[in-house]
Amino acid sequence: MSYVDEVLKRVKEKNASEPEFLQAVEEVLDSLRPVIDANEETYRREAILERLTEPDRQFKFRVPWVDDKGQVQVNTGYRIQFNNSIGPYKGGLRLHPSVNTGIIKFLGFEQIFKNSLTGLPIGGGKGGADFDPKGKSDREVMAFCQSFMTELCKYIGADVDVPAGDIGTGAREIGYMFGQYKKIKSTYEGVLTGKGLTYGGSLARTEATGYGLLYITQELMKCHGESMEGKTVVISGAGNVAIYATQKAQQMGAKVVTCSDSTGWIYDPEGIDVELLKEVKEVKRARLTEYAAARKSAEYHEGRGVWSVKCDIALPCATQNELLLDDAKALVANGCKAVCEGANMPTTIDATKYLQENGVWFIGGKAANAGGVATSALEMTQNSERLSWTFEEVDSKLQQIMVNIYHNIDDAAKRYGQEGNYVMGANIAGFEKVANAMIAQGVV
Ligand code: NDP
Ligand code: 2IT
């Protein structure tokens, strides 16, 4: 049995109850076969794949807080520090009822390769809780965040582990968590990213994941002799990534005709009104029915359905496993040229294969959504030098990083005779740097 197959078998046996983690490991290890096979003896002796698929450490803890009725509530908090061979652990905090060990492990595992691809010195980690901020008052969210940080603060630090936002964690939650960290530790340090602009946050971090997604998509199109101008784009999600992806796509001259949330989706043939979407989602924290009620051209549909809309480019920006095989078939049948992932692992493995086999240019999340964490690393740099850069400075660095990522993953795929397989290119380019650092640092 090959080394990859041996490790895959062992990982499946050990983590049988964590399907999302197994999916992420399978996708990565499968595509690393050419690299591993070429250096099998070294990687096997060093147990590189076993070490990569076993987190450095994982914390799971009780988060008690009091709701507005005086009732004590209990959630489960997580932080998984996966790999710090190229820098301090770095990755977001997800607050969503679906959060469990397997979800955080899959996200932390992906983060290792994504962070490596940015070219910046950051390792992989992820955390969160099964808390649902939806429908909670600001006071309840603050109570939860303070209790969560009371425990989390023992494990993180500006040079140790630097959490940030993800689903359900935005500027409000990061603010409350930062305040509590500072209160307990009596130290003012860049321990979180995505902070408010008046207390150490970076300009362009809010926009970075969505903007970065469009910068890499634009480079992909350019390298295939196409542009974004006049293209029809279908986007899922209506949160941080989806909103700023929509905004940047429009600035590039494309028309974005959909968005979605967990209850339904919007088809707006005249193009999504980003200011209205921001008002509904960022200010009112309301459902998309409010968008439809305020906009004549918009149709609201219950359930899921954005991938059935005819488009040139599809950008999944909501959550994992939201683009399935049948959706991939619909996209291909409708002539979609490119799919780039704003979310983490939104496309299932069979859907990804179908898209690739049918000539759709496909860039996975590790490369396509790396602009968020890259800009977080730029926030860490600014915090360290106690300076803040202008929006234009950060944005131009972000553009350069995304263009570099495109060419790195394209080159890596070509090196192994797999031109156009950007999934393989991303996994290989991300892996090589981490594996080299692990070997250089010995058995730790
Ligand atoms: P937000 O919480 O801001 O928005 C998430 C959006 O996705 C909401 O519209 C939400 O709808 C929808 N959604 C979430 N869960 C589900 C679900 N189970 N089914 C259907 N829709 C769902 O999160 P972000 O925009 O920050 O994150 C979106 C994706 O991008 C995630 O995969 C995240 O890991 C990834 N990502 C985020 C980065 C960042 O910087 N924020 C960086 C890189 C990747 P509803 O409001 O109804 O729940
Ligand atoms: O998935 C991700 O890359 C993020 N949620 C952003 C992580 C970060 O540290 O900015």
Side-chain angles (χ1 to χ4, degrees):
M1 204 189 275
S2 76
Y3 177 41
V4 166
D5 287 320
E6 258 176 46
V7 175
L8 268 177
K9 186 166 170 279
R10 218 169 306 151
V11 171
K12 279 180 192 161
E13 284 163 4
K14 255 183 121 168
N15 305 276
S17 61
E18 296 168 355
E20 292 85 2
F21 177 59
L22 294 179
Q23 183 183 341
V25 171
E26 192 175 333
E27 188 238 84
V28 171
L29 263 52
D30 230 3
S31 73
L32 289 178
R33 284 178 197 278
V35 188
I36 304 294
D37 291 350
N39 303 281
E40 174 152 346
E41 212 187 311
T42 310
Y43 288 142
R44 193 192 277 273
R45 190 184 57 241
E46 296 282 346
I48 283 294
L49 297 181
E50 290 88 334
R51 286 156 70 190
L52 257 181
T53 52
E54 185 75 41
D56 287 356
R57 62 193 70 78
Q58 1 188 353
F59 305 102
K60 182 174 177 188
F61 49 91
R62 184 178 64 242
V63 187
W65 56 280
V66 181
D67 72 16
D68 285 347
K69 297 192 186 103
Q71 174 66 46
V72 176
Q73 300 285 343
V74 179
N75 287 103
T76 307
Y78 301 84
R79 186 71 185 169
I80 299 191
Q81 299 179 335
F82 226 113
N83 187 300
N84 67 349
S85 47
I86 64 168
Y89 306 104
K90 182 85 197 88
L93 296 170
R94 179 172 292 192
L95 298 181
H96 194 271
S98 62
V99 163
N100 57 38
T101 305
I103 296 273
I104 300 300
K105 254 167 92 176
F106 117 66
L107 291 162
F109 181 71
E110 298 258 303
Q111 204 82 44
I112 304 170
F113 305 93
K114 182 196 305 192
N115 293 4
S116 167
L117 282 175
T118 64
L120 300 166
I122 38 179
K126 200 84 186 189
D130 59 355
F131 171 79
D132 189 357
K134 238 178 267 158
K136 304 284 191 303
S137 69
D138 284 352
R139 196 210 60 80
E140 288 176 322
V141 171
M142 179 167 72
F144 167 82
C145 290
Q146 290 181 339
S147 178
F148 180 73
M149 184 52 85
T150 300
E151 182 65 23
L152 185 69
C153 73
K154 300 170 186 167
Y155 317 120
I156 61 177
D159 293 314
V160 179
D161 182 356
V162 183
D166 193 80
I167 290 179
T169 307
R172 175 182 60 171
E173 290 73 19
I174 293 290
Y176 292 146
M177 290 181 197
F178 183 74
Q180 184 74 351
Y181 181 88
K182 187 170 58 87
K183 169 98 178 168
I184 295 175
K185 295 279 192 172
S186 294
T187 144
Y188 205 108
E189 59 175 27
V191 66
L192 293 163
T193 59
K195 299 185 291 300
L197 298 177
T198 51
Y199 56 94
S202 172
L203 283 160
R205 175 60 188 92
T206 304
E207 295 83 355
T209 311
Y211 278 21
L213 173 65
L214 267 295
Y215 294 143
I216 199 166
T217 306
Q218 184 180 48
E219 191 65 14
L220 168 77
M221 298 299 280
K222 197 176 110 191
C223 292
H224 287 88
E226 301 254 9
S227 81
M228 294 299 298
E229 185 71 41
K231 295 291 185 295
T232 300
V233 180
V234 158
I235 291 183
S236 64
N240 173 267
V241 181
I243 287 173
Y244 293 96
T246 302
Q247 186 172 75
K248 185 50 77 177
Q250 291 177 347
Q251 287 171 10
M252 289 174 171
K255 188 193 246 188
V256 180
V257 294
T258 63
C259 62
S260 66
D261 65 15
S262 51
T263 46
W265 60 286
I266 295 283
Y267 174 56
D268 191 341
E270 289 189 3
I272 295 291
D273 178 339
V274 181
E275 289 314 312
L276 175 59
L277 185 59
K278 279 182 165 179
E279 175 70 20
V280 171
K281 284 294 174 185
E282 291 182 345
V283 182
K284 294 187 179 157
R285 299 180 188 271
R287 312 311 303 161
L288 283 175
T289 40
E290 291 217 11
Y291 177 96
R295 183 134 161 113
K296 264 210 179 91
S297 57
E299 294 169 14
Y300 176 79
H301 302 269
E302 288 287 328
R304 53 194 301 284
V306 295
W307 315 123
S308 62
V309 173
K310 189 171 167 50
C311 66
D312 302 302
I313 297 168
L315 306 174
C317 296
T319 191
Q320 65 275 0
N321 294 331
E322 53 155 326
L323 199 164
L324 314 176
L325 181 59
D326 281 345
D327 303 319
K329 288 182 179 168
L331 287 170
V332 168
N334 279 332
C336 174
K337 288 193 169 94
V339 174
C340 300
E341 296 183 328
N344 286 308
M345 209 170 73
T347 315
T348 57
I349 292 181
D350 54 356
T352 302
K353 286 198 175 126
Y354 186 85
L355 292 169
Q356 290 175 318
E357 282 163 10
N358 285 278
V360 176
W361 309 318
F362 181 91
I363 305 189
K366 294 186 205 77
N369 70 38
V373 76
T375 307
S376 277
L378 300 178
E379 182 171 327
M380 289 164 72
T381 307
Q382 294 168 75
N383 291 167
S384 296
E385 61 178 20
R386 300 186 193 285
L387 291 173
S388 6
W389 306 337
T390 64
F391 187 95
E392 290 69 29
E393 248 175 305
V394 181
D395 188 42
S396 86
K397 286 185 166 62
L398 169 63
Q399 284 185 49
Q400 198 52 56
I401 288 167
M402 298 313 295
V403 168
N404 287 346
I405 291 177
Y406 174 77
H407 290 285
N408 285 343
I409 67 174
D410 187 37
D411 289 347
K414 285 179 182 155
R415 259 195 285 135
Y416 286 90
Q418 294 276 338
E419 180 163 359
N421 188 342
Y422 304 109
V423 172
M424 181 180 274
N427 289 334
I428 291 175
F431 166 79
E432 283 179 334
K433 186 170 154 191
V434 174
N436 289 342
M438 286 169 73
I439 292 170
Q441 292 171 30
V443 181
V444 289

